[in-house]
Amino acid sequence: MFKSATIVFVILFFSWQVRGGTTQVRDNNINKLDIVFCLDLSGSTNGLISDVREGLWHIVNQVNLMEPQPQFRIAIVGFSRPSYKKENGYVKVICDLTADYDMLSNELVKIRPAIEKGDQYVGIALNTCINKLSWDEAKSTRKIIYIVGNGMVNTNNSDYIKACQQALQHNIIVNTVYVIGKSDKARELPGWYRIAALTNGVATEMTVGKKLQLTDTKLDFSDLFEASRDLNLSYIYHGTEGLKHYSNFRAADSAAFTYGPSIYIERAYYKNSSLFKWANSKWDMVDFFRMKGMLPPMQDSLMISDSLRSMSAEAIYDLVNQQKSMRQKAINDLEYLLRADYPMQVHKQYISGELLEENSFARSVILLLIKEWN
């Protein structure tokens, strides 16, 4: 106990004494944007969840490139699965609105890909999105729901109309993305278009399983993997939720790797962006040190990893300083490898209209969002 207290005291001492870090100041006037993906996860949209998982980093990168640059959060709501229970209308909030995209990625991974034949209550799904998520309360915040699925929207009478009226009252736009499949499109599609019309949204269509061709063919994947690995090894978690954030971070990397080179490259561009570079000081000692020029204050030794508890405060300080140099080298390597700025090239194609012909999930979302944001 005495040893732990001594470590904490010395760390706090260093925190007050050390100066000279770089501070990144965020503009508080950045436009705010809340995005909700409301997903039909029944058997008729089999494969949709894989499209959402694999398209996440492409969407995050492209939203971050919009002008004016938004400060955005994303939420996931699922519906039409029996496992979500009848008393809930077969609807579940999978992830509330968040800017922690690593955590969001891992919540998507947890969704079982098994096909379930479930009752579809579109009105209840929309009502859940409108009333059970932590929407930003500022009137200037842009609020958009993308409801993705197929089937008849008027199951359970016409409660979807009441939900649309509520969306209007809360200044929430509802865009509908109809999933083309074996369903009766001629009979079902008008309802999806009506939802969009009632909420000042836009209706579009998508095909499940249509893979995005995202790979930057000029990029050396093995070099990218090494630079990304070195970056990962430079993190030292701290704080009450440090281990959870670090675990989400590493798991998101692993998931992107399993999805294939295209998705891993998109993930690398995200890690090389302003969204990630200065966003982890709450749980990473090195980022805290880079921003504040000091070590983070800690109430007790339980707020640091097991490997650090037997180290003196001076040794921890030296280690963080060493990892800071390793971090900078990894960042420099990533910046060099990703200098072609592939997401920006793709973004220009979105703006010019060159990518209109592909109706995958990610591109359907981005094409609608760019039009509405501008």
Side-chain angles (χ1 to χ4, degrees):
M1 179 64 71
F2 175 79
K3 187 174 183 179
S4 297
T6 302
I7 290 175
V8 173
F9 174 79
V10 178
I11 288 176
L12 287 170
F13 175 79
F14 271 102
S15 296
W16 285 104
Q17 293 298 318
V18 180
R19 294 291 186 272
T22 304
T23 301
Q24 185 81 359
V25 179
R26 294 187 64 87
D27 183 356
N28 292 326
N29 296 319
I30 292 177
N31 292 273
K32 291 184 178 181
L33 171 64
D34 282 348
I35 304 169
V36 177
F37 297 135
C38 186
L39 309 174
D40 176 356
L41 299 178
S42 64
S44 64
T45 60
N46 183 35
L48 174 60
I49 192 59
S50 295
D51 289 354
V52 178
R53 289 169 181 162
E54 295 176 12
L56 175 63
W57 301 116
H58 181 70
I59 291 170
V60 169
N61 285 334
Q62 291 302 314
V63 173
N64 192 45
L65 290 172
M66 295 192 309
E67 294 183 357
Q69 187 181 44
Q71 181 180 329
F72 64 100
R73 300 185 299 166
I74 299 176
I76 304 288
V77 174
F79 67 100
S80 296
R81 283 203 168 182
S83 56
Y84 295 162
K85 300 182 180 180
K86 184 176 181 179
E87 58 265 33
N88 300 320
Y90 305 112
V91 181
K92 180 180 179 181
V93 175
I94 296 167
C95 182
D96 199 356
L97 285 154
T98 182
D100 186 345
Y101 311 119
D102 288 345
M103 183 266 288
L104 180 65
S105 171
N106 292 327
E107 291 302 317
L108 287 170
V109 170
K110 293 175 185 178
I111 300 174
R112 296 177 59 187
I115 301 172
E116 295 185 43
K117 185 179 179 180
D119 293 326
Q120 181 191 58
Y121 298 136
V122 171
I124 296 177
L126 285 174
N127 184 70
T128 299
C129 292
I130 295 163
N131 296 301
K132 294 189 177 181
L133 297 177
S134 55
W135 294 95
D136 190 276
E137 295 181 0
K139 291 184 178 180
S140 59
T141 298
R142 202 80 59 90
K143 307 176 184 74
I144 303 176
I145 296 171
Y146 292 85
I147 184 163
V148 188
N150 54 31
M152 299 298 295
V153 302
N154 59 353
T155 307
N156 195 28
N157 299 319
S158 58
D159 59 351
Y160 78 94
I161 295 178
K162 294 179 181 178
C164 290
Q165 292 170 343
Q166 273 199 324
L168 278 176
Q169 292 170 4
H170 290 84
N171 296 315
I172 298 172
I173 293 172
V174 182
N175 292 326
T176 60
V177 184
Y178 181 81
V179 177
I180 301 170
K182 298 179 180 179
S183 302
D184 188 348
K185 179 179 175 180
R187 193 165 66 98
E188 297 172 355
L189 194 57
W192 293 83
Y193 272 75
R194 189 180 185 194
I195 289 173
L198 288 171
T199 59
N200 299 318
V202 178
T204 189
E205 302 174 24
M206 66 162 284
T207 303
V208 168
K210 196 163 187 178
K211 300 296 182 183
L212 286 166
Q213 299 301 316
L214 303 175
T215 304
D216 187 343
T217 55
K218 298 179 181 179
L219 185 61
D220 188 315
F221 186 74
S222 60
D223 287 346
L224 178 66
F225 180 82
E226 289 183 10
S228 184
R229 177 202 60 200
D230 290 346
L231 178 66
N232 292 354
L233 292 174
S234 70
Y235 282 83
I236 305 175
Y237 70 82
H238 72 92
T240 55
E241 297 191 339
L243 178 58
K244 182 179 73 174
H245 285 289
Y246 179 73
S247 298
N248 283 337
F249 163 57
R250 296 301 298 267
D253 255 25
S254 297
F257 184 82
T258 63
Y259 299 150
S262 294
I263 311 306
Y264 191 79
I265 289 170
E266 286 278 359
R267 165 77 175 164
Y269 274 108
Y270 163 71
K271 289 164 68 176
N272 193 50
S273 73
S274 58
L275 284 173
F276 183 82
K277 281 183 180 178
W278 298 97
N280 303 310
S281 62
K282 291 182 179 179
W283 63 267
D284 172 54
M285 283 191 183
V286 179
D287 263 2
F288 191 97
F289 186 82
R290 290 170 70 221
M291 292 182 69
K292 305 288 187 180
M294 62 181 72
L295 295 178
M298 292 167 280
Q299 285 83 12
D300 58 63
S301 63
L302 295 178
M303 298 182 72
I304 58 179
S305 63
D306 292 342
S307 61
L308 300 183
R309 291 179 192 171
S310 61
M311 296 174 62
S312 67
E314 292 88 346
I316 293 175
Y317 172 80
D318 290 341
L319 176 62
V320 171
N321 209 24
Q322 177 184 343
Q323 296 298 90
K324 177 188 172 186
S325 299
M326 181 179 179
R327 172 80 50 85
Q328 191 58 55
K329 181 182 183 304
I331 288 173
N332 292 343
D333 289 344
L334 274 179
E335 288 178 347
Y336 177 76
L337 290 167
L338 302 176
R339 62 192 181 280
D341 200 358
Y342 180 70
M344 178 56 78
Q345 294 178 34
V346 174
H347 194 73
K348 290 177 180 178
Q349 290 179 306
Y350 276 121
I351 299 297
S352 67
E354 294 177 51
L355 299 178
L356 287 174
E357 74 284 355
E358 187 167 353
N359 63 340
S360 64
F361 169 76
R363 291 213 167 133
S364 296
V365 168
I366 293 300
L367 285 167
L368 289 179
L369 190 54
I370 287 175
K371 290 178 182 178
E372 290 169 330
W373 189 249
N374 295 331

